[in-house]
Amino acid sequence: MSTPPGRRRGPSKGDRRERAILETARTLLARKPLADITIDELAAGAEISRSSFYFYFDSKLSVLVALLHGMAGELGRDAGPWLDGAGPDTAALREALTPLARLWREHGRMLAGALAAAPGCPPLAQWRAELRSAHVDRLAARIARDRAAGLAPAGPAPRVLAGLIDDLRTAALAGSADPEALVDDLVTVELRMIYADFAEDHPAG
């Protein structure tokens, strides 16, 4: 039977199997590194054969890369009000960082492993570069707007400063056993980096 006009066709069997592989990988990567996961485990979790797995992905790495690209939106999902705002808005920055820290708590092993492997792995390096650039571009634009409006002091070039903030944030979250406990400190540090003496007069708490 054909799909009625105006109604979207549901996911195909192939779509569902690909999603099952990705969900299996996400679950396994929360417990162990990619190197310790087998194709047989991924196929079994998706209830397909090993040979069927290769119809959807050519390697474990390609599964990881697909997962990471799928998570890219989650990593920046709540940052809009902060990145599109103006001035030292503590609440907006905290609202951007809190879900990001929660995501790192839930998927930190996978994200940290991908970041560590990125320098020697072109697909992971590209993922990291795209993710970093998306944040740095918008943060640099915010810094430039605030400086032009007299809300932030002069300092390093906006893109340089935005890159330093992104690198510091990523390193802190990747190295923490409790990313959510870092949120207030990151708020204070990032605001101080952009607004200089802001933190002395407006504590993050």
Side-chain angles (χ1 to χ4, degrees):
M1 187 167 74
S2 62
T3 303
R7 182 177 177 183
R8 295 186 62 186
R9 187 182 300 275
S12 67
K13 180 185 290 186
D15 292 335
R16 292 193 297 271
R17 286 179 172 177
E18 182 174 321
R19 189 162 56 239
I21 294 169
L22 292 171
E23 287 305 313
T24 298
R26 187 190 288 250
T27 299
L28 292 171
L29 285 164
R31 303 199 305 260
K32 54 186 177 179
L34 184 66
D36 293 344
I37 296 172
T38 67
I39 298 296
D40 288 335
E41 285 179 297
L42 294 170
E47 299 183 345
I48 59 175
S49 67
R50 180 185 176 92
S51 59
S52 294
F53 169 89
Y54 289 105
F55 180 80
Y56 302 100
F57 296 99
D58 59 14
S59 66
K60 296 185 297 181
L61 176 61
S62 64
V63 176
L64 175 60
V65 171
L67 263 181
L68 292 169
H69 280 289
M71 290 179 65
E74 295 180 64
L75 288 166
R77 180 181 56 204
D78 299 284
W82 160 248
L83 293 173
D84 297 331
D89 189 338
T90 305
L93 181 53
R94 184 179 289 111
E95 287 171 9
L97 286 168
T98 298
L100 178 63
R102 187 179 306 120
L103 194 68
W104 269 94
R105 174 174 56 79
E106 295 170 355
H107 304 293
R109 180 190 291 272
M110 177 176 66
L111 292 168
L115 289 172
C121 178
L124 294 180
Q126 180 180 357
W127 162 76
R128 171 55 181 148
E130 291 174 356
L131 188 67
R132 184 179 188 274
S133 180
H135 177 231
V136 168
D137 287 349
R138 292 183 68 188
L139 182 56
R142 187 193 206 284
I143 293 169
R145 289 196 308 271
D146 278 358
R147 288 180 178 176
L151 298 173
R159 187 167 180 81
V160 171
L161 180 56
L164 290 171
I165 290 172
D166 185 87
D167 291 342
L168 180 148
R169 177 190 292 186
T170 300
L173 292 170
S176 176
D178 185 4
E180 288 166 297
L182 294 178
V183 169
D184 281 348
D185 287 339
L186 285 173
V187 168
T188 298
V189 170
E190 293 187 20
L191 290 177
R192 182 175 298 184
M193 290 175 75
I194 298 171
Y195 301 101
D197 60 353
F198 168 84
E200 280 76 6
D201 300 321
H202 301 76

